[in-house]
Amino acid sequence: MQFRTQIPISKTNNPIDYNSKIISIGSCFAENMAEKFDYFKFQNVTNPFGIIFNPVSIEKIISRVIKEEFYEEKDVFFYNERWHSYEVHSDLSNADRQELLETLNKAISESYKKLKEATHVIITYGTSWIYRNIESDEIVANCHKVPQKQFSKELLTVDVIQKSIQNTIDLIQVLNPEINFIFTVSPVRHIKDGFTENQLSKSHLFAALHQVLKSHNPQNITFNYFPSYEIMMDELRDYRFYTEDMLHPNPVAIDYIWHKFNENYIAENSISTMQEISEIQKSLRHRSFNPESEQHQKFLIKLKEKIKVIEQKWSHIRF
């Protein structure tokens, strides 16, 4: 008797290995997955402009990077004793305007280089709801706690999202025609928009994204869809897999979704290296009751030997 559903996932023809260079962009779930890449020491860059939830803002930041449109004074504003940009997350905000501009423009230069070299780009869409600055009529990635009366809230249509996703693909492919795309919809529920509104938002993302993927040649192995939302909703359909806010996947859920990703998107020849690195990571987190003991000293010597072997084999890996 079967007591749970299993989401079918097709193995990618272009799996990620330790030679791959990955750039992850999008919602906070992109950060969850990136932590796994970092733990296993893959070559991964995540959200150089901070968390971005909606497709249009992701397209806008990608366009800036590809066209190398650097930020100027007119692109930032001062509020609550800090300088901000409506195009990026508040984590990048700064008390000094020049420092903010330098940070943003450095992110453009580095992201251009990373995208050009990347083998895989993972884009995670979070919501179809957007806030539009009434004065400029521009969609913002982050409101930076500016009073809500300065924004109008809108739901992006399927057509607008579809065009935005395709624009994002076209922009990236101009710079890097060989890159592999992995798309996913974040399993995080945006209940602040409302329960029904969250479902409507996700449905617009699904409809638009799958229309884009459908429009490309089925034989084109460059485009992949990973069902992280579906795994959370169907395979993990229980509140014990959520954090205390009942909105975000908890560590158990993230581990499970990563396992599904690992099975289908990580090259088999990388699994043994991942296991070795995991053993080292666990050993590094180990705290001895008696650090001066002979047994612990032998443990440290053995650990250093393991680290040396990995670092000699993979020049990008450092512990």
Side-chain angles (χ1 to χ4, degrees):
M1 185 177 293
Q2 187 172 342
F3 289 98
R4 59 186 296 194
T5 54
Q6 293 284 319
I7 306 297
I9 306 173
S10 300
K11 280 185 176 289
T12 181
N13 290 310
N14 291 314
I16 293 166
D17 60 24
Y18 277 93
N19 292 309
S20 301
K21 294 182 178 180
I22 311 150
I23 184 162
S24 303
I25 302 165
S27 81
C28 50
F29 185 71
E31 308 255 320
N32 296 146
M33 298 297 281
E35 287 174 5
K36 296 297 185 183
F37 282 121
D38 292 341
Y39 178 85
F40 289 106
K41 298 294 182 180
F42 284 95
Q43 299 181 76
N44 177 62
V45 175
T46 308
N47 281 342
F49 297 90
I51 294 168
I52 301 177
F53 296 100
N54 76 78
V56 172
S57 292
I58 290 174
E59 176 199 348
K60 187 182 292 187
I61 209 70
I62 291 295
S63 178
R64 262 201 189 272
V65 170
I66 303 302
K67 297 175 183 177
E68 295 184 284
E69 295 178 347
F70 293 101
Y71 287 91
E72 301 174 3
E73 291 184 6
K74 64 180 176 61
D75 299 315
V76 298
F77 68 97
F78 191 71
Y79 181 74
N80 266 352
E81 301 181 21
R82 292 177 72 79
W83 288 91
H84 313 271
S85 166
Y86 279 128
E87 295 182 10
V88 306
H89 195 271
S90 55
D91 285 349
L92 280 77
S93 298
N94 198 300
D96 185 277
R97 180 175 61 184
Q98 192 57 37
E99 285 186 14
L100 172 60
L101 289 171
E102 288 174 4
T103 298
L104 293 175
N105 290 331
K106 183 180 179 183
I108 287 177
S109 298
E110 291 181 350
S111 298
Y112 181 94
K113 183 174 183 289
K114 294 294 183 183
L115 265 175
K116 192 171 184 178
E117 297 174 346
T119 58
H120 297 77
V121 58
I122 303 174
I123 301 179
T124 306
Y125 294 116
T127 183
S128 302
W129 288 103
I130 57 95
Y131 289 87
R132 187 184 297 275
N133 184 290
I134 295 171
E135 183 180 357
S136 66
D137 197 37
E138 292 287 330
I139 293 172
V140 304
N142 196 295
C143 294
H144 302 292
K145 298 183 179 179
V146 172
Q148 193 166 347
K149 64 182 180 181
Q150 295 187 29
F151 304 93
S152 61
K153 185 177 180 181
E154 304 170 22
L155 182 70
L156 294 173
T157 65
V158 173
D159 285 345
V160 168
I161 297 171
Q162 184 177 341
K163 289 175 184 176
S164 183
I165 294 173
Q166 186 59 56
N167 288 344
T168 300
I169 291 171
D170 294 341
L171 283 162
I172 293 173
Q173 285 189 320
V174 166
L175 182 65
N176 186 344
E178 304 300 319
I179 200 167
N180 297 284
F181 290 85
I182 301 173
F183 292 100
T184 191
V185 173
S186 170
V188 178
R189 300 185 302 149
H190 292 248
I191 299 303
K192 66 177 182 179
D193 297 317
F195 286 88
T196 302
E197 291 79 0
N198 172 67
Q199 292 299 96
L200 183 60
S201 165
K202 298 290 188 185
S203 68
H204 280 211
L205 292 176
F206 284 123
L209 180 52
H210 285 284
Q211 282 297 322
V212 171
L213 295 176
K214 185 180 177 181
S215 69
H216 289 273
N217 188 328
Q219 303 304 316
N220 191 331
I221 58 177
T222 302
F223 302 95
N224 295 273
Y225 176 73
F226 177 65
S228 58
Y229 180 89
E230 294 88 330
I231 293 169
M232 192 72 198
M233 293 298 109
D234 284 281
E235 292 193 33
L236 304 176
R237 52 191 309 169
D238 191 301
Y239 278 111
R240 73 178 185 273
F241 295 115
Y242 286 86
T243 57
E244 290 181 1
D245 66 6
M246 298 299 166
L247 303 177
H248 292 78
N250 66 15
V252 174
I254 292 168
D255 285 346
Y256 184 86
I257 295 172
W258 167 258
H259 175 71
K260 290 290 187 179
F261 184 93
N262 187 5
E263 283 184 331
N264 297 281
Y265 288 86
I266 304 294
E268 291 183 12
N269 60 12
S270 295
I271 302 301
S272 60
T273 302
M274 290 176 68
Q275 291 170 344
E276 291 172 24
I277 289 173
S278 183
E279 288 177 10
I280 291 172
Q281 296 281 38
K282 290 173 183 176
S283 296
L284 288 170
R285 286 161 172 73
H286 173 71
R287 293 292 176 264
S288 173
F289 288 111
N290 186 3
E292 305 302 322
S293 68
E294 182 179 350
Q295 182 182 7
H296 184 65
Q297 295 307 309
K298 289 180 179 178
F299 167 81
L300 291 177
I301 292 170
K302 190 174 181 180
L303 176 58
K304 286 179 181 178
E305 289 174 353
K306 289 180 179 179
I307 291 173
K308 185 178 180 181
V309 170
I310 289 290
E311 290 184 346
Q312 285 180 339
K313 186 175 181 181
W314 303 102
S315 59
H316 73 273
I317 293 180
R318 290 292 178 269
F319 287 93

